[in-house]
Amino acid sequence: VVLFHAGVGAAAGGFVGVDVFLVLSGYFVTDLLLREHAASGGIDLEGFYGRRALRLLPPLLVVLLATLALVSWLWAPIDRAEILATARAVAIGGSNVAFARGAVDYFSSGEHPLLHTWSLAVEEQLYVAWPLVLLLLVAAAERRVAAPSSAAGQRRLLAGIAVVGAASLALSLWLTRAAPPWAFFGMPTRVWEFALGAGLAVVMNGRADRDGTVAAWGQGAGLAAIAAAVALYDRATPYPGWAALLPALGAVALIVGGERAPAS
């Protein structure tokens, strides 16, 4: 992502790093929440939200205040109002919505000094929503089976995650054509990537099998898929749409390979 914003030609598709991150985040967060539910029979939402607030909000405040100080010094007065308005959205975790409403062109990143905060806003919104969605899916699985950690419970939980992910992917595909800014910046159009990682957390929970050969091929294929997206995509690629599947599935292959051979 940094190389893309620095204008390095070989990394013209570097923006796909956000998609890789969302898959990884979905995997780790869901694994954490499922382990907590299995150990205690519930999820401490206050603790979950508190830990993420302590991790994200202090550095966000530093970046926001420093950026505003520089804007007040370097920007012309007529250009400051829009940035200050966006700063309010950044502070409440809604900068992605502000950029989508303004039909901001992500690929003209030099126009707005707070543009990079859109992905953090998506992350914050997913951190708020996903534990609630997961609790609902776990509760639905528990209605039919004794425990969501059983084989039958995992299948039902995985089916629920798949439905959520499929709905998000369908919305992403439609909005990529109908309203590209909302497809790119919106949180609902990125849920499917989070759900991919979440599904892996369910499928791989408790798996003890290890196959170094499969792991090596999986990791190699995953890295190749992400590298191909970085090298082949650019600002002309309709995104996210179908194109986002390549880096997202590459991240899936990396997780599977790493889980099967953690020492590789």
Side-chain angles (χ1 to χ4, degrees):
V1 174
V2 173
L3 292 176
F4 159 72
H5 281 289
V8 176
F15 52 87
V16 303
V18 174
D19 305 272
V20 174
F21 166 77
L22 289 175
V23 176
L24 292 171
S25 188
Y27 174 77
F28 289 121
V29 167
T30 303
D31 184 65
L32 173 71
L33 294 174
L34 289 179
R35 289 178 185 274
E36 180 181 352
H37 190 277
S40 64
I43 294 175
D44 180 9
L45 291 177
E46 181 180 351
F48 177 83
Y49 292 147
R51 288 190 297 272
R52 266 124 202 94
L54 286 173
R55 178 169 66 85
L56 295 174
L57 297 185
L60 173 62
L61 180 62
V62 171
V63 170
L64 188 58
L65 292 178
T67 303
L68 291 178
L70 288 171
V71 165
S72 67
W73 176 35
L74 299 174
W75 260 250
I78 194 172
D79 296 325
R80 294 174 190 164
E82 179 185 359
I83 297 171
L84 292 175
T86 304
R88 289 193 289 269
V90 172
I92 61 173
S95 61
N96 61 324
V97 176
F99 293 134
R101 283 178 176 171
V104 172
D105 182 5
Y106 171 76
F107 298 97
S108 297
S109 57
E111 295 179 2
H112 204 297
L114 292 171
L115 184 65
H116 64 287
T117 63
W118 78 271
S119 57
L120 176 63
V122 170
E123 179 186 1
E124 291 172 333
Q125 292 159 21
L126 282 169
Y127 282 167
V128 170
W130 188 253
L132 303 177
V133 171
L134 192 63
L135 279 174
L136 290 175
L137 295 177
V138 168
E142 287 179 331
R143 290 198 192 102
R144 301 292 184 89
V145 297
S149 58
S150 66
Q154 287 185 349
R155 287 195 296 271
R156 292 186 178 278
L157 180 57
L158 186 61
I161 292 173
V163 169
V164 173
S168 170
L169 178 58
L171 179 64
S172 175
L173 295 175
W174 174 61
L175 286 179
T176 299
R177 298 189 305 270
W182 286 102
F184 192 93
F185 292 115
M187 182 273 282
T189 57
R190 302 285 181 161
V191 169
W192 68 270
E193 295 169 322
F194 211 81
L196 266 182
L200 277 180
V202 175
V203 170
M204 306 189 77
N205 184 29
R207 292 284 293 275
D209 54 315
R210 294 286 185 264
D211 187 331
T213 302
V214 172
W217 280 103
Q219 290 171 321
L223 287 171
I226 296 169
V230 171
L232 298 176
Y233 293 177
D234 56 28
R235 61 183 302 157
T237 305
Y239 211 81
W242 291 108
L245 283 169
L246 183 60
L249 293 177
V252 168
L254 280 177
I255 294 173
V256 173
E259 179 73 13
R260 284 178 172 267
S264 67

